Every structure is written in C-alpha cells, then in structure tokens.
Amino acid sequence: MAKNMKKTSNKSILIIENDERILNALQKKLKEFGFIVISSMDGFEGFERAKQEMPDLVIVDDRLPVMSGLKVCRLLKYDERYKKINVIVMGSKDAMREVEKEDYGFDGLIIKPFRFGDLRIMVEGVLKSGADDA
C-alpha cells in the first residue's frame, strides 16, 4: 500500500460490471485500500443490491445486461430514498460522448480504458464531497 494513501475503512462500494476481469481487478484494488466491496454483474441485480445495501458509492459500467448502468444511475439519483448514494459511471469515450450529467445525476464519469490511480482519485474525491454534503 502506498505510504500516502490512508486506508478508507468502513466505506462500502458496489461495483456493477459484467466483464469479470475488470470486476475482479477493481474488487482487488479497492479492497487493498480498505473499502468494503460488493459486486454485481448485471444492472437490475446491481440496482436491487444498491437499494438493499445502501453503499457509500456505486461504480457502474454503462453497458450491462438487463438494465444499463445509466438507467441504474438515473433510478438511484432521482429517487429520494437513494439519491445520497454516490455514483461513478464507467464507459467508452464513444458511448459517453452525448451523455449529460444533468440527465442522469452521476457524481463522476470515467472513460475506459483508465488507470486505476485515476479511478482512485475520483473515488476519493466523490466520497469526500459526498461526506461534505451530509
């Protein structure tokens, strides 16, 4: 673990990603930094897990089976019960070109492929700003 990276204990992150390699890599890295990691491989199941688990953050791929990541984001962010759950959407440059934050309410957008360090910086920023809003 990097010396300047403080462990972020007891913060939970739900990863919704249908590519098993990406999902496993994200789980491993986020656990190394002390996050409690929950995962799902399709949008509908991920949405249900988010409602049940109420994680601090959801990291969701835009292209998922059953329900798109953007729809998951919209359902969470525009429901009073879940809107405080932070959401980072992952997607390709082409897929995200026309996506407007105002339409979906996400807290962060990261373009694939990305370096884990960039995602970590975004995760920390989103969780910090979410804590400031509380």
Side-chain angles (χ1 to χ4, degrees), residues 48-111:
E48 292 299 315
R49 298 264 341 239
K51 293 190 316 187
Q52 291 166 3
E53 308 274 346
M54 295 296 286
D56 296 292
L57 173 65
V58 173
I59 299 174
V60 62
D61 186 43
D62 68 318
R63 297 187 183 213
L64 293 168
V66 188
M67 182 189 297
S68 78
L70 289 170
K71 182 160 187 175
V72 170
C73 180
R74 183 181 276 156
L75 288 171
L76 290 172
K77 296 309 259 181
Y78 293 103
D79 186 316
E80 286 297 317
R81 297 167 294 180
Y82 312 114
K83 72 178 188 177
K84 290 214 182 285
I85 297 174
N86 296 296
V87 179
I88 294 174
V89 175
M90 302 180 290
S92 71
K93 192 174 201 170
D94 288 342
M96 297 292 106
R97 186 171 288 132
E98 302 295 320
V99 172
E100 297 292 333
K101 180 178 179 175
E102 296 75 31
D103 294 339
Y104 298 95
F106 50 79
D107 301 283
L109 174 64
I110 193 153
I111 301 299

Side-chain angles (χ1 to χ4, degrees), residues 108-121:
L109 174 64
I110 193 153
I111 301 299
K112 288 180 166 183
F114 55 82
R115 290 201 285 294
F116 185 77
D118 295 335
L119 178 65
R120 191 186 86 211
I121 290 166

Side-chain angles (χ1 to χ4, degrees), residues 12-71:
S12 60
I13 297 178
L14 168 62
I15 305 167
I16 311 173
E17 168 62 70
N18 63 319
D19 183 320
E20 205 167 337
R21 284 186 345 246
I22 296 171
L23 179 63
N24 290 338
L26 288 174
Q27 286 176 309
K28 182 176 182 247
K29 287 289 195 181
L30 291 167
K31 283 178 182 175
E32 284 175 14
F33 292 117
F35 292 106
I36 299 162
V37 180
I38 312 156
S39 64
S40 174
M41 291 185 75
D42 83 58
F44 180 76
E45 180 192 73
F47 176 63
E48 292 299 315
R49 298 264 341 239
K51 293 190 316 187
Q52 291 166 3
E53 308 274 346
M54 295 296 286
D56 296 292
L57 173 65
V58 173
I59 299 174
V60 62
D61 186 43
D62 68 318
R63 297 187 183 213
L64 293 168
V66 188
M67 182 189 297
S68 78
L70 289 170
K71 182 160 187 175

